[in-house]
Amino acid sequence: PKPLVTGVVLAVALIFTGEPAIWNYITVYIETAKIKNVRFAAAIIQGFNWVVTVIAAFLADRLGRRRLLIPTLFVMGVALTLLSAPLALLEETSDLRRYGSLAMIGL
Protein backbone atom coordinates (compact mmCIF):
# COMPACT_ATOMS: atom_id res chain seq x y z
CA PRO A 1 0.00 0.00 0.00
CA LYS A 2 2.95 2.42 0.49
CA PRO A 3 3.43 3.04 -3.27
CA LEU A 4 -0.32 3.58 -3.63
CA VAL A 5 -0.41 6.09 -0.76
CA THR A 6 2.63 7.89 -2.21
CA GLY A 7 0.96 8.09 -5.61
CA VAL A 8 -2.28 9.45 -4.15
CA VAL A 9 -0.43 12.05 -2.05
CA LEU A 10 1.54 13.22 -5.10
CA ALA A 11 -1.62 13.45 -7.20
CA VAL A 12 -3.33 15.53 -4.52
CA ALA A 13 -0.21 17.73 -4.24
CA LEU A 14 -0.33 18.31 -7.99
CA ILE A 15 -3.92 19.47 -7.74
CA PHE A 16 -3.07 21.85 -4.87
CA THR A 17 -0.20 23.39 -6.84
CA GLY A 18 -2.75 24.55 -9.41
CA GLU A 19 -0.80 23.33 -12.42
CA PRO A 20 -3.82 21.76 -14.18
CA ALA A 21 -5.72 25.05 -13.87
CA ILE A 22 -2.75 27.00 -15.19
CA TRP A 23 -2.68 24.99 -18.40
CA ASN A 24 -6.42 25.52 -18.86
CA TYR A 25 -6.03 29.30 -18.62
CA ILE A 26 -2.57 29.79 -20.11
CA THR A 27 -3.90 31.82 -23.05
CA VAL A 28 -5.72 34.18 -20.68
CA TYR A 29 -2.48 34.83 -18.80
CA ILE A 30 -0.58 35.44 -22.01
CA GLU A 31 -3.25 37.81 -23.30
CA THR A 32 -3.16 39.64 -19.95
CA ALA A 33 0.55 40.26 -20.53
CA LYS A 34 -0.38 41.82 -23.91
CA ILE A 35 1.74 39.37 -25.92
CA LYS A 36 0.57 39.37 -29.53
CA ASN A 37 1.40 35.83 -30.64
CA VAL A 38 -0.44 33.83 -27.98
CA ARG A 39 0.04 30.39 -29.55
CA PHE A 40 3.78 30.88 -29.98
CA ALA A 41 4.16 32.09 -26.38
CA ALA A 42 2.13 29.11 -25.11
CA ALA A 43 4.30 26.73 -27.13
CA ILE A 44 7.46 28.29 -25.69
CA ILE A 45 6.13 27.95 -22.13
CA GLN A 46 5.05 24.36 -22.68
CA GLY A 47 8.41 23.54 -24.29
CA PHE A 48 10.18 25.01 -21.26
CA ASN A 49 7.93 22.94 -19.00
CA TRP A 50 8.86 19.81 -20.95
CA VAL A 51 12.60 20.51 -20.69
CA VAL A 52 12.38 21.15 -16.95
CA THR A 53 10.34 17.97 -16.48
CA VAL A 54 12.95 15.88 -18.29
CA ILE A 55 15.74 17.42 -16.20
CA ALA A 56 13.76 16.77 -13.00
CA ALA A 57 13.21 13.14 -14.02
CA PHE A 58 16.96 12.60 -14.25
CA LEU A 59 17.65 14.50 -11.02
CA ALA A 60 14.95 12.66 -9.06
CA ASP A 61 16.97 9.48 -8.84
CA ARG A 62 20.21 11.31 -8.09
CA LEU A 63 19.03 13.81 -5.51
CA GLY A 64 15.94 12.07 -4.18
CA ARG A 65 12.30 12.78 -4.80
CA ARG A 66 11.57 14.32 -1.40
CA ARG A 67 14.51 16.70 -1.74
CA LEU A 68 13.10 17.93 -5.04
CA LEU A 69 9.41 17.90 -4.09
CA ILE A 70 9.45 20.21 -1.09
CA PRO A 71 11.26 23.17 -2.75
CA THR A 72 9.20 22.63 -5.90
CA LEU A 73 5.95 22.99 -3.97
CA PHE A 74 7.24 26.24 -2.44
CA VAL A 75 8.21 27.62 -5.86
CA MET A 76 4.80 26.65 -7.23
CA GLY A 77 3.16 28.60 -4.41
CA VAL A 78 5.18 31.70 -5.31
CA ALA A 79 4.38 31.22 -9.01
CA LEU A 80 0.64 30.91 -8.29
CA THR A 81 0.79 34.12 -6.27
CA LEU A 82 2.45 35.91 -9.20
CA LEU A 83 -0.13 34.47 -11.59
CA SER A 84 -3.10 35.50 -9.49
CA ALA A 85 -1.92 39.04 -8.73
CA PRO A 86 -2.87 40.56 -12.12
CA LEU A 87 -6.25 38.84 -12.09
CA ALA A 88 -6.93 40.06 -8.56
CA LEU A 89 -6.13 43.61 -9.72
CA LEU A 90 -8.78 43.43 -12.46
CA GLU A 91 -11.30 44.88 -10.02
CA GLU A 92 -9.13 47.94 -9.40
CA THR A 93 -7.96 48.69 -12.92
CA SER A 94 -8.76 47.59 -16.45
CA ASP A 95 -5.21 48.36 -17.66
CA LEU A 96 -3.15 45.33 -16.75
CA ARG A 97 -0.16 46.09 -18.95
CA ARG A 98 1.90 47.01 -15.90
CA TYR A 99 1.01 43.78 -14.14
CA GLY A 100 1.01 41.36 -17.07
CA SER A 101 4.72 40.70 -16.65
CA LEU A 102 3.99 39.26 -13.19
CA ALA A 103 1.84 36.59 -14.82
CA MET A 104 4.56 35.77 -17.32
CA ILE A 105 7.18 35.47 -14.57
CA GLY A 106 4.82 33.17 -12.69
CA LEU A 107 4.36 30.97 -15.72
Side-chain angles (χ1 to χ4, degrees), residues 8 15 51 58 61 68 74 85-86 95 98:
V8 169
I15 292 168
V51 169
F58 286 111
D61 289 332
L68 288 175
F74 174 76
D95 183 22
R98 294 181 291 168

Side-chain angles (χ1 to χ4, degrees), residues 6-106:
T6 302
V8 169
V9 168
L10 288 175
V12 169
L14 177 68
I15 292 168
F16 280 120
T17 63
E19 188 199 16
I22 290 170
W23 293 119
N24 286 335
Y25 294 101
I26 193 166
T27 56
V28 173
Y29 290 118
I30 293 170
E31 289 169 354
T32 301
K34 303 294 182 196
I35 294 176
K36 293 181 179 160
N37 196 339
V38 175
R39 285 188 178 189
F40 180 72
I44 294 293
I45 293 167
Q46 289 175 340
F48 178 76
N49 184 40
W50 182 83
V51 169
V52 171
T53 301
V54 169
I55 292 170
F58 286 111
L59 288 177
D61 289 332
R62 246 188 227 166
L63 299 177
R65 285 167 176 78
R66 176 181 240 170
R67 226 167 133 192
L68 288 175
L69 181 65
I70 294 170
T72 300
L73 290 174
F74 174 76
V75 170
M76 284 296 296
V78 171
L80 284 173
T81 302
L82 291 172
L83 279 168
S84 63
L87 298 177
L89 293 170
L90 270 174
E91 293 178 7
E92 295 177 22
T93 180
S94 61
D95 183 22
L96 291 176
R97 281 179 277 189
R98 294 181 291 168
Y99 307 109
S101 58
L102 285 177
M104 293 311 297
I105 291 169

